[in-house]
């Protein structure tokens, strides 16, 4: 937990202040920072592979269709710049991404929790690896399998899905539910709302819940009303395997917060590279 206590005692404060400033200017970045950490950890572990730019010889993860709408890279860059001035070559980009996600959660009203530090930055970032990110069309049993491959339980998968208490989805991610026969798990009134959103095109944004910048359990209340935006949201209530977990979180926000923070700490330690297995990048967007 105190990984930088001797080598860079201000590290956490610097990241926290950078994130706080960025969110005061644009609260919608909180969702982006949490999603960035998730998309980083699910591919090659939490190693900042998501931050690497493509080169002439390599198409990187960030250029995958699954990552084109990721936001918040400049927040990580700003924190890194300040850390390099204070303690050059000490704080990894992977740790910055992980820390930024925790500050984004609590700046939005979510639980306050600490994560262990000491992740090193990886050198591999390949567009084809992003096929291991869960697409928005998965049903509950497919989500259980995919998260299970990373060691998560059904409960942890539902808790992590609750990150959709923040942010928006683009029409391209849910229009499949509106074409032909309308998704039977979709409330008819809400289906009209989604169709109205999509009338503005594939990039039109629909908030996941009624409080898009507040970290709360309103997302789960929406699922109970068949007002989940993505198939992969609504399936959590439609499926008997996960419905009771959704009901529990909709009823008890404190329980959701506790399970979420525990699952996030677990996610932040997925396949981390320690010691000589990675490096500390000077510039988060390229290998040293």
């Amino acid at each position: 937990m105190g990984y930088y206590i001797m080598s860079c005692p201000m590290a956490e404060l610097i990241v926290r202040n950078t994130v706080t400033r960025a969110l005061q200017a644009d609260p919608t970045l909180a969702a982006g920072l949490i999603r960035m950490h998730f998309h980083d950890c699910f591919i090659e572990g939490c190693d900042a592979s998501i931050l690497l730019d493509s080169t002439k010889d390599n198409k990187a993860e960030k250029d995958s269709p699954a990552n084109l709408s990721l936001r918040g890279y400049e927040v990580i860059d700003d924190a890194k710049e300040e850390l390099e001035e204070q303690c050059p070559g000490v704080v990894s980009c992977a740790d910055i991404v992980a820390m930024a996600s925790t500050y984004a959660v609590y700046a939005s009203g979510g639980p306050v929790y600490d994560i262990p530090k000491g992740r090193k930055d990886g050198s591999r970032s390949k567009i084809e690896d992003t096929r291991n990110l869960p697409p928005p069309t998965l049903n509950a049993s497919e989500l259980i399998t995919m998260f299970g491959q990373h060691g998560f339980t059904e409960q942890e998968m539902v808790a992590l899905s609750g990150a959709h208490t923040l942010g928006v989805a683009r029409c391209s991610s849910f229009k499949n539910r509106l074409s032909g026969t309308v998704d039977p798990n979709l409330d008819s009134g809400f289906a009209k709302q989604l169709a109205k959103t999509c009338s503005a095109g594939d990039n039109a944004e629909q908030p996941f819940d009624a409080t898009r910048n507040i970290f709360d359990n309103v997302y789960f209340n929406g699922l109970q009303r068949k007002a989940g935006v993505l198939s992969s949201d609504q399936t959590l209530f439609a499926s008997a395997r996960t419905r009771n977990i959704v009901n529990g979180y909709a009823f008890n926000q404190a329980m959701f917060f506790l399970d979420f923070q525990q699952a996030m700490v677990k996610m932040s330690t997925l396949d981390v590279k320690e010691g000589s297995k990675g490096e500390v990048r000077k510039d988060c967007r390229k290998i040293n």
Side-chain angles (χ1 to χ4, degrees), residues 61-82:
E61 290 169 32
K62 62 160 63 163
D63 288 328
S64 157
N67 284 328
L68 289 177
S69 58
L70 277 185
R71 302 169 58 232
Y73 293 112
E74 62 293 333
V75 183
I76 308 300
D77 288 337
D78 289 349
K80 180 62 173 170
E81 204 176 319
E82 203 171 326

Side-chain angles (χ1 to χ4, degrees), residues 40 45-52 93-94 97 120-122 281 284:
D40 182 29
C46 311
D47 66 347
S49 55
I50 190 70
L51 303 178
L52 289 172
C93 300
V97 172
K120 293 291 187 271
D121 299 326
R281 283 181 218 147
C284 289

